[in-house]
C-alpha cells in the first residue's frame, strides 16, 4: 500500500503524538507530580502525572543493574491502565540509537510500502539462516530499507512519531538505526509498542498482527512473551523491548543498557526477565527463559 509522501509528512504523528508526549523527558528527569505519593522508605515514588498517563519510579529495583555491573534503564507500560513503572527515570528519557529494535517498525514499513508479502519474506531478503525475527537481522532489514527507499522511509518514521524521527539525508545510507542519527528513548519504545499491541498504528491491521506474531518468544501458562533484542555492547546500547500479554493485563517494556563491555543484548534479556518477574508481570518460572 503506497501513500503520497507529502500526505504522510502532513499527517505525521497524528496517531501517536498525543500519547507519547504525555510522558516527556523533562518530567521523567525529575519534575515530580505535586500530588504524587511515595512510600515512606523511598522505594517507590510517583515522578510524573500528566493527562491520563502517570509514571512511578522504582528506586528499589536499581540494584538489579548495579549488581550485574551495568548501567541502564527500564520502563514497563500498562497499556490498559495508561500507567508506567520506571527504573532510573533520567536514563529512561535519554535517547540512543535503537539498533535492531528498529526492525519492528522497519518490518511494518516493509510490509506496508516495501512490497513484501510477509515477515518471512523480509527475513529471506538477507543471507540464509539469518535467524528468527526476535533476533537482530541487519542484512535483511538493510535490504528492506533499500526497497522502501529513503524518502518513503523518512515519511513513515515521521508518521510513526518514532523517537527523534530523524533518519538523516539520503547519504545516511541503510544504517541510520545502527549508527544514527535516529535515536529513541526507553519511554518512547514502550509508547510505540503500546500502539502496536492495540493495532493503533497508521498501517494495515493485518500487518500489525503479522509483526506481533513474528515477535513471539515464548508462551507459558497464562502469558505470552513477545520481544526483540538489539545492540552488541560495543558502539550501540544493549536493548530488549517487547510486551507481555497475560491474564493480568497487557504490558509493554523496554530495557536499555549503556554501551559498555558485557552490556549487549545477551545481558539485557536476563535482566529484563528479572525485572518483569519482580514487577509480577511474568511468573517466577519465566525468569530464566
Amino acid at each position: 500500500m503506497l501513500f503520497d509522501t507529502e500526505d504522510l509528512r502532513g499527517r505525521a504523528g497524528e496517531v501517536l503524538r498525543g500519547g507519547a508526549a504525555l510522558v516527556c523527558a523533562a518530567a521523567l528527569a525529575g519534575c515530580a507530580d505535586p500530588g504524587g505519593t511515595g512510600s515512606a522508605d523511598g522505594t517507590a515514588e510517583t515522578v510524573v502525572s500528566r493527562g491520563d498517563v502517570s509514571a512511578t519510579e522504582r528506586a528499589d529495583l536499581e540494584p538489579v543493574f548495579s549488581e550485574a555491573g551495568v548501567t541502564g534503564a527500564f520502563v514497563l507500560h500498562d497499556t490498559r491502565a495508561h500507567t508506567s513503572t520506571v527504573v532510573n527515570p533520567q536514563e529512561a528519557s535519554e535517547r540512543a540509537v535503537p539498533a535492531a529494535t528498529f526492525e519492528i517498525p522497519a518490518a511494518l514499513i516493509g510490509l506496508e510500502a516495501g512490497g513484501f508479502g510477509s515477515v518471512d519474506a523480509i527475513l529471506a531478503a538477507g543471507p540464509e539462516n539469518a535467524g528468527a525475527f526476535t533476533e537482530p537481522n541487519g542484512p535483511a532489514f538493510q535490504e528492506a530499507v533499500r526497497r522502501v527507499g529513503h524518502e518513503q522511509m523518512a515519511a513513515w518514521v515521521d508518521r510513526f512519531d518514532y523517537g527523534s524521527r530523524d533518519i538523516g539525508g539520503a547519504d545516511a545510507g541503510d544504517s541510520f538505526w545502527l549508527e544514527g542519527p535516529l535515536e529513541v528513548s526507553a519511554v518512547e519504545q514502550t509508547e510505540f509498542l503500546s500502539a502496536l499491541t492495540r493495532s493503533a498504528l497508521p498501517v494495515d491491521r493485518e500487518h500489525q498482527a503479522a509483526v506481533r506474531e513474528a515477535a513471539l518468544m515464548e508462551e507459558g501458562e497464562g502469558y505470552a512473551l513477545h520481544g526483540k533484542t538489539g545492540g552488541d555492547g560495543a558502539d550501540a546500547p544493549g536493548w530488549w523491548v517487547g510486551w507481555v500479554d497475560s491474564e493480568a493485563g497487557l504490558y509493554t517494556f523496554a530495557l536499555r543498557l549503556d554501551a559498555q563491555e558485557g552490556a549487549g543484548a545477551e545481558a539485557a534479556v536476563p535482566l529484563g526477565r528479572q525485572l518483569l518477574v519482580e514487577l509480577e508481570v511474568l511468573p517466577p518460572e519465566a525468569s530464566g527463559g
Side-chain angles (χ1 to χ4, degrees):
M1 181 182 299
L2 299 179
F3 288 83
D4 179 77
T5 300
E6 291 302 317
D7 176 62
L8 290 177
R9 291 190 182 279
R11 297 162 59 190
E14 60 188 7
V15 173
L16 296 179
R17 194 179 312 283
L22 293 172
V23 184
C24 68
L28 285 177
C31 299
D33 169 23
T37 57
S39 64
D41 61 3
T43 57
E45 176 187 4
T46 301
V47 293
V48 59
S49 180
R50 301 186 60 189
D52 63 348
V53 176
S54 65
T56 301
E57 180 182 2
R58 287 293 301 268
D60 59 313
L61 294 177
E62 292 178 7
V64 172
F65 291 90
S66 58
E67 290 171 4
V70 296
T71 57
F74 180 81
V75 179
L76 179 74
H77 180 69
D78 185 331
T79 67
R80 297 173 183 170
H82 302 293
T83 60
S84 294
T85 301
V86 186
V87 183
N88 293 329
Q90 182 171 348
E91 293 209 15
S93 68
E94 295 174 353
R95 288 171 171 166
V97 293
T101 66
F102 178 72
E103 293 171 9
I104 295 176
L108 292 167
I109 298 167
L111 293 174
E112 194 80 5
F116 292 95
S118 66
V119 175
D120 285 342
I122 296 176
L123 298 179
E128 294 183 6
N129 303 318
F133 175 74
T134 55
E135 302 169 353
N137 290 279
F141 281 91
Q142 286 175 317
E143 175 59 26
V145 167
R146 286 191 287 268
R147 292 193 194 181
V148 170
H150 180 271
E151 190 172 5
Q152 277 209 102
M153 180 60 63
W156 277 105
V157 170
D158 190 45
R159 192 180 188 196
F160 281 168
D161 197 21
Y162 185 85
S164 64
R165 298 156 54 204
D166 180 10
I167 72 169
D171 58 349
D174 54 12
S175 59
F176 56 83
W177 66 95
L178 301 170
E179 302 173 1
L182 184 64
E183 294 186 330
V184 66
S185 71
V187 171
E188 290 167 329
Q189 292 264 32
T190 61
E191 293 287 345
F192 174 79
L193 293 174
S194 176
L196 173 61
T197 62
R198 295 179 286 109
S199 292
L201 290 168
V203 294
D204 192 297
R205 293 174 67 91
E206 291 185 1
H207 293 159
Q208 295 179 75
V211 171
R212 291 197 300 267
E213 181 179 354
L216 180 64
M217 294 184 67
E218 70 182 47
E219 291 183 285
E221 185 174 353
Y223 77 92
L225 172 63
H226 300 74
K228 180 78 172 173
T229 59
D232 59 10
D235 298 324
W239 285 100
W240 187 41
V241 306
W243 62 94
V244 178
D245 192 356
S246 70
E247 298 171 348
L250 178 61
Y251 302 87
T252 61
F253 64 86
L255 184 141
R256 195 202 78 233
L257 299 179
D258 293 340
Q260 62 192 75
E261 184 177 356
E266 290 186 0
V269 174
L271 285 181
R273 284 181 178 273
Q274 182 179 347
L275 288 164
L276 290 170
V277 170
E278 290 280 356
L279 292 167
E280 300 183 343
V281 174
L282 282 180
E285 58 267 24
S287 62

